[in-house]
Amino acid sequence: MSSASTIRLSAVWAMLDQCAPGYSKEAKVHHWWVRYNGRTFRALPLGAHGARKDAEIETGHVRKMARHLLIEPCARRLIAAIW
Amino acid sequence: MPKRVYPLICSFSENVVCSGFVAHVAANGRALAAEEDGGWWFYGLNPGGLAAAGKTLREAHYAFREGFRKVLFDIASSTSAFDAFQAEVESFFNEADDATLQDWNVAVRAVRSGELSLDDLPRASADEKPTITVSLVKKLQPSANQTVEGSPAVAA
């Protein structure tokens, strides 16, 4: 079964609420920066046409972010469809 | 991670206009390339916090370099002095995760044993440590302008 190729940013934030409590996010010019537990993921896409409210982004970025922030096991439980 | 991932070495060379100065960033980084989602994905090891996709390996590599450049631009917008810019860029490049490093090491062993190959790409030594250099550009000259060129190498 192939993984889902896009995911809404609202689903990503909901996952981070559970898997990275206390995380912070900041929209830069080119990407979202997400900080958690002393680590920073600086390359989460804003979505097509810039920082729209609930853009869809490619799931590979979220897979990488989860691994980089050391929250992959939790993220896999909450958004299993993207793996 | 998908079953088949390729260990790649990627080079970067960028001039970045910052607040009151121009910085040059040169790096030899590492990434894993995987064929998935109907195309190719590059997952960074150094830099660790970066991923990019394309329909072909070449497109994904281009997107990866472009993503790297955009992070540098965001860092330039977020810092006001060279020392802070340098520290943030080095942190971005050096912050890696053990899971991706493990996948990298397994992939390198597979290349060395002949199980894995990407014949279109040159080879480079996987034993070379990743490097990043951030320096101040003191003399602004047109010869410093650069286009995105080159291909990644398979780490062996």
Side-chain angles (χ1 to χ4, degrees):
Chain A
M1 187 166 83
S2 62
S3 59
S5 61
T6 61
I7 182 171
R8 291 201 175 277
L9 275 171
S10 56
V12 177
W13 307 143
M15 178 276 289
L16 286 169
D17 283 339
Q18 298 294 312
C19 298
Y23 83 94
S24 66
K25 66 180 190 284
E26 186 180 353
K28 300 291 189 180
V29 174
H30 297 102
H31 294 115
W32 284 102
W33 284 21
V34 179
R35 290 187 174 87
Y36 175 65
N37 209 16
R39 298 174 71 85
T40 306
F41 189 78
R42 298 175 183 80
L44 193 69
L46 297 171
H49 313 300
R52 291 188 311 178
K53 214 171 169 187
D54 197 15
E56 290 208 25
I57 64 173
E58 292 171 306
T59 53
H61 299 287
V62 181
R63 291 194 293 270
K64 183 61 194 156
M65 181 186 69
R67 188 168 261 207
H68 188 70
L69 297 180
L70 309 181
I71 60 169
E72 188 177 359
C74 178
R76 277 183 180 264
R77 284 196 302 274
L78 292 187
I79 42 174
I82 74 165
W83 268 272
Chain B
M1 283 290 151
K3 286 200 171 131
R4 191 169 278 246
V5 293
Y6 300 87
L8 299 181
I9 291 170
C10 305
S11 298
F12 306 91
S13 182
E14 302 288 347
N15 291 319
V16 184
V17 180
C18 303
S19 297
F21 61 93
V22 177
H24 182 71
V25 179
N28 284 317
R30 300 182 290 184
L32 289 169
E35 202 166 3
E36 58 185 3
D37 295 344
W40 282 86
W41 274 91
F42 273 45
Y43 296 107
L45 174 55
N46 300 99
L50 180 64
K55 287 196 176 71
T56 64
L57 186 92
R58 179 182 286 271
E59 282 185 17
H61 176 237
Y62 186 91
F64 191 68
R65 292 183 69 162
E66 189 65 10
F68 181 88
R69 174 185 290 172
K70 286 179 176 176
V71 172
L72 296 184
F73 292 169
D74 280 345
I75 293 174
S77 296
S78 306
T79 51
S80 55
F82 174 75
D83 288 348
F85 175 80
Q86 181 181 45
E88 188 80 21
V89 170
E90 288 173 353
S91 177
F92 163 59
F93 184 80
N94 291 320
E95 197 172 271
D97 67 88
D98 286 345
T100 304
L101 179 59
Q102 263 184 14
D103 286 344
W104 163 271
N105 288 333
V106 168
V108 168
R109 284 198 291 273
V111 170
R112 286 176 173 170
S113 71
E115 274 177 65
L116 208 60
S117 68
L118 273 174
D119 295 332
D120 293 343
L121 296 183
R123 287 197 167 198
S125 172
D127 295 329
E128 292 289 327
K129 296 275 180 225
T131 59
I132 180 118
T133 307
V134 184
S135 55
L136 200 55
V137 176
K138 292 185 179 153
K139 216 167 177 187
L140 300 177
Q141 290 181 351
S143 56
N145 292 325
Q146 293 167 329
T147 56
V148 177
E149 290 174 9
S151 71
V154 176

